[in-house]
Amino acid sequence: MCAISSIAQEADSALARIRRADYYATPFSGAFPILAYRLSPGGGLRVSPALPVDYFDSQGKMLPGGPYQYGSGEFSKYGTALVMRNGLWGMIDQHGTVLIPLQYERLEFSKHSSRWLQARINKRWGLIDSSGLTRVIPQYDEIIDFSDHMMAVKLQDKWGFIDESGTLIIPTMYNYVHRPFHEGFAAVRLSKENSVGFINKHNECITGFRFDYPYCVNKTNAHIRDLTKYYEFKNGFALVRNNNCEIGVINTDDQEVLPIRFYHVEVNDSTIIGHRKKRKLVYVIPR
């Protein structure tokens, strides 16, 4: 209990020093450095891109290198923070040392297993590591963060996938990615029509492009109330739809365990239940 009390007192003391320096800092979250916003001469706080922000250590001392621009982030669990100045992004450590120069139009943490970052420069996306070394040359128009160790990338209006080494595994040939890889499969569209199919990591279509992705918010079945993700495999099953917004369920062998005719589907650990008006169909998941 004494250690907890000591930490709380230290945090309160640091916050008091920060506020006396005419900064606003949110209540202590359990980690330093703390991100703080500079108050105007009248003591107010006006949120805008021009709002200066700085970082303070556990003693309430300002880290060197600031101020940065509003939008700069909190420190991650790895002891780094993404910072911005004059619209350009970089990364600092807990001592304020610049690890990645502020030269990128956008910088985001990714789900890469080695903590690579998504970086945009000259309107193109690539990947850099935590030291700032380029791992994937910025060349893509858009990217979707890693999922199942694969990243969706867009080049010249077509989508494909790279692996965690940055190698283009699936060529940029798809019109759209509805769901990135999950449990080994991704839902993609090959043409501008709404036909959706599932591919595996060998770029083999396991279903054919025979499903629909309709936008039917005015339909009576109101599937927008169903929070279950469509076109993403979970525990070997995925919800799919037709052009009438009816729902079905397939497995990874492309078998319809529930035909595509239901208004609502419930999925739990042992059963999958399709509802249509006052009728329902129950599929018992094999064990």
Side-chain angles (χ1 to χ4, degrees), residues 9 37 44 47 50 61 65 101 122 133 138 143 148 159 170 173 175 190 202 204 213 218 232 240 249 251 254 274:
Q9 289 176 2
Y37 304 91
V47 175
K61 182 180 178 181
N122 297 326
L133 181 65
I143 57 178
D148 205 5
W159 287 88
I170 296 177
M173 58 181 289
N175 183 261
L190 187 59
H202 301 290
E204 299 167 335
Y213 209 94
N218 294 322
E232 180 178 280
V240 295
V249 179
N251 62 20
D254 193 26

Side-chain angles (χ1 to χ4, degrees), residues 142 144-145 147 152-153 158-161 174-182 185-199 207-215 228-233 238-241:
E142 295 181 46
I144 300 174
D145 198 7
S147 176
V153 295
K158 295 292 183 180
W159 287 88
F161 293 86
Y174 294 103
N175 183 261
Y176 195 71
V177 175
H178 285 284
R179 295 286 184 193
F181 275 97
H182 194 261
F185 302 98
V188 297
R189 193 170 67 207
L190 187 59
S191 68
K192 291 185 178 180
E193 298 176 355
N194 278 343
S195 297
V196 179
F198 288 91
I199 60 172
T207 61
F209 295 90
R210 61 187 177 87
F211 303 111
D212 292 294
Y213 209 94
Y215 300 94
T228 305
K229 283 189 175 182
Y230 295 90
Y231 296 103
E232 180 178 280
F233 276 99
L239 276 69
V240 295
R241 300 201 301 242

Side-chain angles (χ1 to χ4, degrees), residues 8-267:
Q9 289 176 2
E10 181 183 41
D12 289 341
S13 177
L15 282 173
R17 293 191 187 100
I18 293 168
R19 289 164 180 164
R20 284 198 299 270
D22 294 326
Y23 278 81
Y24 171 77
T26 55
F28 181 59
S29 61
F32 288 100
I34 294 176
L35 177 117
Y37 304 91
R38 185 183 295 176
L39 299 174
S40 65
L45 181 66
R46 184 177 180 180
V47 175
S48 75
L51 176 64
V53 300
D54 277 287
Y55 297 88
F56 292 81
D57 64 18
S58 60
Q59 304 301 314
K61 182 180 178 181
M62 184 187 298
L63 298 189
Y68 297 103
Q69 186 176 334
Y70 176 77
S72 299
E74 304 277 356
F75 269 83
S76 72
K77 62 181 179 180
Y78 302 110
T80 56
L82 299 181
V83 294
M84 177 173 54
R85 184 187 293 124
N86 299 324
L88 296 177
W89 289 83
M91 188 171 76
I92 62 173
D93 67 11
Q94 291 174 304
H95 305 290
T97 303
V98 175
L99 300 177
I100 298 175
L102 281 71
Q103 62 183 14
Y104 294 97
E105 298 161 358
R106 185 64 192 170
L107 203 59
E108 298 177 6
F109 291 115
S110 80
K111 297 176 182 177
H112 190 278
S113 59
S114 296
R115 307 202 313 269
W116 290 2
L117 295 94
Q118 306 171 47
R120 189 179 72 187
I121 192 167
N122 297 326
K123 299 182 179 180
R124 294 291 184 268
W125 285 96
L127 292 167
I128 61 176
D129 64 23
S130 56
S131 69
L133 181 65
T134 297
R135 295 293 186 170
V136 175
I137 296 173
Q139 59 184 301
Y140 297 110
D141 302 319
E142 295 181 46
I143 57 178
I144 300 174
D145 198 7
F146 283 100
S147 176
D148 205 5
H149 307 288
M150 299 282 279
M151 170 178 275
V153 295
K154 184 179 182 182
L155 183 63
Q156 297 179 350
D157 212 32
K158 295 292 183 180
W159 287 88
F161 293 86
I162 63 174
D163 65 11
E164 286 197 334
S165 73
T167 303
L168 187 66
I169 299 298
I170 296 177
T172 50
M173 58 181 289
Y174 294 103
N175 183 261
Y176 195 71
V177 175
H178 285 284
R179 295 286 184 193
F181 275 97
H182 194 261
E183 294 190 1
F185 302 98
V188 297
R189 193 170 67 207
L190 187 59
S191 68
K192 291 185 178 180
E193 298 176 355
N194 278 343
S195 297
V196 179
F198 288 91
I199 60 172
N200 61 23
K201 292 183 179 181
H202 301 290
N203 199 25
E204 299 167 335
C205 186
I206 66 164
T207 61
F209 295 90
R210 61 187 177 87
F211 303 111
D212 292 294
Y213 209 94
Y215 300 94
C216 46
V217 294
N218 294 322
K219 297 286 185 178
T220 55
N221 56 358
H223 67 255
I224 58 173
R225 295 178 299 181
D226 189 342
L227 300 181
T228 305
K229 283 189 175 182
Y230 295 90
Y231 296 103
E232 180 178 280
F233 276 99
K234 184 176 181 180
N235 298 324
F237 298 96
L239 276 69
V240 295
R241 300 201 301 242
N242 63 19
N243 201 40
N244 293 320
C245 287
E246 296 170 316
I247 309 166
V249 179
I250 65 169
N251 62 20
T252 56
D253 294 321
D254 193 26
Q255 298 170 330
E256 290 185 11
V257 299
L258 286 187
I260 308 174
R261 68 184 186 204
F262 297 98
Y263 292 159
H264 175 69
V265 171
E266 297 177 60
V267 182

